[in-house]
Amino acid sequence: MTHPVKRLRFAPSPNGWLHLGHAYSVLFGADIAAREGAEYLLRIEDIDLGRTRAEYIEGIFEDLAWLGLSWPKPVLQQSTRFDAYAAALKTLRDMELVYPCFATRKEITDTIQQSGIGLKHWPTDPDGAYLYPGLYKDISLQERNRLMWEGRSYAWRLDMEKARQLAEDMAGGPITFLEEGASATGLTGRLLIKPEYFGDVILARKDVPTSYHIAVVVDDAHQGITMVTRGQDLFPATYIHRLLQVLLGLPEPRYHHHGLIRDETGRRLSKSARDQALREYRTQGMTPEDIRRLVGLEHAIR
Ligand code: GLU
């Protein structure tokens, strides 16, 4: 019997130098890939053209090579894939699951302030954004067209409840995912998604026809990723990713969210140590072995 290829990925965003947190994440993934006999891909997540810098991309290649890691070539850069993301957005538009939202940040906070609940008590999503209060959601088609013609900027928001209902109809039941990480949230096994934590999340903008959420699910499918390893900060985003995978007819990977890096003694590294650039450690004379020890992965398989 032939088994499907197992494939993992490390997917950094080149808007800064890699730091110790990245070193932990990439070595953690490499360890699981080695245990599973899986391929390990590098993907450059450079959709944020305003923050991406060529030197940071170069830096990623240099730092990872220094750590002793290598990758199948060519390495995918998301900036070459905007057409694929736009096609996914178009599918969601054709399904009438997204709507253009013209609200400015001020309009949103004003609405919340006038709601009687106030900013302090208004729920926020796991990224800290106020749950969208629904302005511009139910405006008429004429009004929508008028605002577009006026040249107003807008964001494409997912109608979360409609999307969830349709996804459940398509899947024949509640949407779940397989979480294999033990340390991250305390939750493992088959878990139910809770996309209501995000409300009507933004999936694209007028000028940028994608977002992290669209790009990541489209490319995980495109590259045949069978297991997603990443930090626990992205655990809640999996709720959105699973929903999009069902709606877009994409395969479901396994997930393994990892906890924060700890030093050899099991203590959490301080934030400043975690954020120190790998290249600084390198110029200070540290070796890749020292880095492995520092992040507590000296026993990881290579
Ligand atoms: N590009 C994301 C980051 O650097 C990671 C995306 C992912 O692993 O899903 O935080």
Side-chain angles (χ1 to χ4, degrees):
M1 200 173 108
T2 55
H3 291 281
V5 179
K6 290 186 185 174
R7 211 172 270 148
L8 279 67
R9 84 311 192 270
F10 176 60
S13 303
N15 42 35
W17 303 116
L18 293 190
H19 50 69
L20 222 45
H22 293 105
Y24 177 74
S25 195
V26 72
L27 292 168
F28 180 91
D31 186 32
I32 296 196
R35 280 175 213 267
E36 297 241 336
E39 265 182 344
Y40 197 31
L41 306 187
L42 173 64
R43 181 168 76 219
I44 304 291
E45 301 217 317
D46 55 348
I47 54 170
D48 187 347
L49 301 176
R51 292 173 69 207
T52 290
R53 275 167 44 189
E55 61 198 287
Y56 293 143
I57 299 181
E58 274 311 302
I60 290 172
F61 287 120
E62 270 172 35
D63 291 345
L64 297 179
W66 176 70
L67 281 177
L69 298 161
S70 58
W71 317 93
K73 307 252 164 22
V75 167
L76 188 74
Q77 279 188 227
Q78 289 193 319
S79 56
T80 63
R81 302 259 308 145
F82 279 106
D83 288 353
Y85 311 143
L89 180 66
K90 168 88 169 50
T91 303
L92 297 171
R93 283 175 62 184
D94 291 347
M95 294 166 96
E96 298 185 358
L97 294 176
V98 288
Y99 61 93
C101 161
F102 303 88
T104 60
R105 201 162 298 174
K106 178 157 184 342
E107 272 179 285
I108 294 176
T109 49
D110 285 352
T111 306
I112 294 173
Q113 258 154 353
Q114 287 152 19
S115 69
I117 297 175
L119 290 174
K120 210 165 143 225
H121 298 290
W122 193 266
T124 51
D125 74 16
D127 297 328
Y130 293 115
L131 287 198
Y132 185 59
L135 296 126
Y136 296 99
K137 187 169 179 175
D138 301 313
I139 58 173
S140 67
L141 198 57
Q142 285 94 320
E143 181 66 354
R144 194 167 276 180
N145 290 340
R146 188 182 66 75
L147 292 165
M148 281 191 169
W149 273 104
E150 271 181 10
R152 289 270 292 267
S153 62
Y154 56 86
W156 288 105
R157 286 187 184 269
L158 185 65
D159 183 332
M160 193 58 93
E161 266 323 298
K162 195 172 170 191
R164 179 217 280 265
Q165 271 168 30
L166 182 61
E168 289 190 352
D169 288 349
M170 290 168 76
I175 314 299
T176 60
F177 63 104
L178 190 59
E179 173 61 54
E180 299 185 3
S183 62
T185 50
L187 300 173
T188 16
R190 204 149 264 289
L191 307 177
L192 277 176
I193 64 165
K194 295 179 181 151
E196 66 277 12
Y197 281 20
F198 285 90
D200 287 1
V201 72
I202 292 177
L203 288 188
R205 293 184 188 274
K206 182 183 175 187
D207 311 321
V208 188
T210 190
S211 58
Y212 160 59
H213 301 303
I214 289 193
V216 82
V217 296
V218 167
D219 283 344
D220 281 342
H222 173 68
Q223 297 191 289
I225 301 302
T226 52
M227 183 194 240
V228 171
T229 56
R230 60 186 177 197
Q232 62 172 303
D233 49 325
L234 291 170
F235 175 86
T238 312
Y239 302 149
I240 303 172
H241 300 170
R242 281 294 298 130
L243 195 61
L244 292 177
Q245 283 158 359
V246 172
L247 295 168
L248 296 170
L250 304 174
E252 174 190 353
R254 293 147 63 199
Y255 287 89
H256 191 128
H257 293 91
H258 59 70
L260 292 173
I261 49 171
R262 290 166 198 280
D263 67 15
E264 312 91 286
T265 61
R267 276 195 313 262
R268 259 188 203 178
L269 285 166
S270 74
K271 174 122 176 62
S272 57
R274 280 205 312 270
D275 290 347
Q276 185 172 339
L278 279 182
R279 54 185 40 229
E280 285 170 30
Y281 284 108
R282 198 163 81 205
T283 48
Q284 285 164 11
M286 279 222 186
T287 66
E289 276 313 310
D290 295 332
I291 299 290
R292 280 177 188 273
R293 253 194 308 279
L294 209 51
V295 300
L297 284 176
E298 68 274 34
H299 302 304
I301 300 176
R302 272 165 258 178

